[in-house]
Amino acid sequence: SQQGEEDPQALSIQEGENATMNCSYKTSINNLQWYRQNSGRGLVHLILIRSNEREKHSGRLRVTLDTSKKSSSLLITASRAADTASYFCATGGTSYGKLTFGQGTILTVHP
Amino acid sequence: DTEVTQTPKHLVMGMTNKKSLKCEQHMGHRAMYWYKQKAKKPPELMFVYSYEKLSINESVPSRFSPECPNSSLLNLHLHALQPEDSALYLCASSEPGRTHYGYTFGSGTRLTVV
């Protein structure tokens, strides 16, 4: 089964609103990453949070990690139509290991 | 522009054909990966190469044969595929010790088996 499970599966918002996506995982992790995928093409790495970190910011992105609940959230503030994409959390990836993806959230931002 | 280049972008092949997918990276990364992604699903790991050696094979059928000719190149040889193998095939690379950069993905090859 997939390591990460995400909710919601789909999110539709208006431009300027904030978007929050959640990810849960099952086993211990070294880090958790978030990726964006536009129109079924390649994935773009957004942000990585280590297991000893609780919150991390990058531009309009804010990621939190709660290892006691085995969950993470991605907040995109002041969303734009260009943020429309699928967002995946991913765990693992230590050294040359496996990077396992959650089911993903499809975000649609209406202009 | 992506730093991981995959060719071709689209491929249609018959079930008796032999074809190859190619991936090239110029970032000096020492690990490279093949992922398979079906529509509306997350990418699933197929193979991992580290230092040009196969380190992980996720029980992939033998009709998929990976090859790493050198540290910059990764191929996926395809033979006798089935229609259910139609998917987006993604190549990625990474460098240990710099995990905060994450993995770098190519744009993928969209494969259709007819």
Side-chain angles (χ1 to χ4, degrees):
Chain A
S1 62
Q2 289 293 323
Q3 170 75 312
E5 300 296 329
E6 293 175 71
D7 78 274
Q9 291 186 338
L11 181 61
S12 181
I13 60 175
Q14 295 295 127
E15 214 167 23
E17 294 180 339
N18 295 341
T20 299
M21 289 159 268
N22 303 298
C23 168
S24 61
Y25 57 92
K26 297 177 181 175
T27 62
S28 297
I29 61 171
N30 290 322
N31 63 70
L32 186 142
Q33 306 177 36
W34 286 89
Y35 287 81
R36 183 186 74 226
Q37 184 176 38
N38 292 86
S39 302
R41 301 310 294 181
L43 287 86
V44 175
H45 178 252
L46 295 176
I47 194 166
L48 179 150
I49 186 166
R50 293 188 171 87
S51 58
N52 61 353
E53 297 175 310
R54 292 296 168 257
E55 187 172 312
K56 199 163 183 179
H57 297 254
S58 177
R60 294 185 295 114
L61 305 180
R62 172 178 169 254
V63 170
T64 62
L65 180 64
D66 187 334
T67 54
S68 66
K69 296 180 179 178
K70 291 186 167 59
S71 66
S72 173
S73 67
L74 172 67
L75 168 67
I76 304 174
T77 59
S79 63
R80 305 165 182 168
D83 295 327
T84 294
S86 294
Y87 291 82
F88 295 94
C89 67
T91 56
T94 56
S95 298
Y96 306 105
K98 299 167 55 171
L99 189 65
T100 304
F101 290 86
Q103 293 300 307
T105 294
I106 301 172
L107 173 66
T108 303
V109 182
H110 300 281
Chain B
D1 288 342
T2 182
E3 296 176 83
V4 175
T5 303
Q6 290 188 243
T7 56
K9 292 191 184 307
H10 300 273
L11 178 64
V12 179
M13 62 183 290
M15 290 187 284
T16 59
N17 291 160
K18 288 184 180 180
K19 297 286 185 182
S20 297
L21 309 185
K22 298 185 182 300
C23 175
E24 186 170 13
Q25 58 97 3
H26 295 288
M27 294 174 287
H29 287 171
R30 285 169 284 185
M32 295 184 76
Y33 313 82
W34 281 114
Y35 279 82
K36 174 183 177 180
Q37 186 179 25
K38 302 283 278 185
K40 300 189 185 302
K41 295 292 186 181
E44 294 182 345
L45 182 67
M46 300 175 72
F47 303 104
V48 179
Y49 272 83
S50 60
Y51 288 105
E52 302 171 40
K53 297 209 181 304
L54 184 64
S55 59
I56 296 178
N57 176 342
E58 289 289 280
S59 302
V60 178
S62 60
R63 57 185 184 271
F64 295 91
S65 176
E67 178 195 20
C68 190
N70 60 53
S71 59
S72 301
L73 294 173
L74 187 65
N75 298 322
L76 186 62
H77 301 298
L78 314 172
H79 174 55
L81 294 193
Q82 302 297 310
E84 58 264 29
D85 296 321
S86 298
L88 181 68
Y89 288 85
L90 293 162
C91 174
S93 68
S94 71
E95 179 65 15
R98 295 169 64 185
T99 55
H100 52 284
Y101 289 111
Y103 287 38
T104 303
F105 281 82
S107 297
T109 294
R110 188 162 298 282
L111 173 68
T112 302
V113 181
V114 297

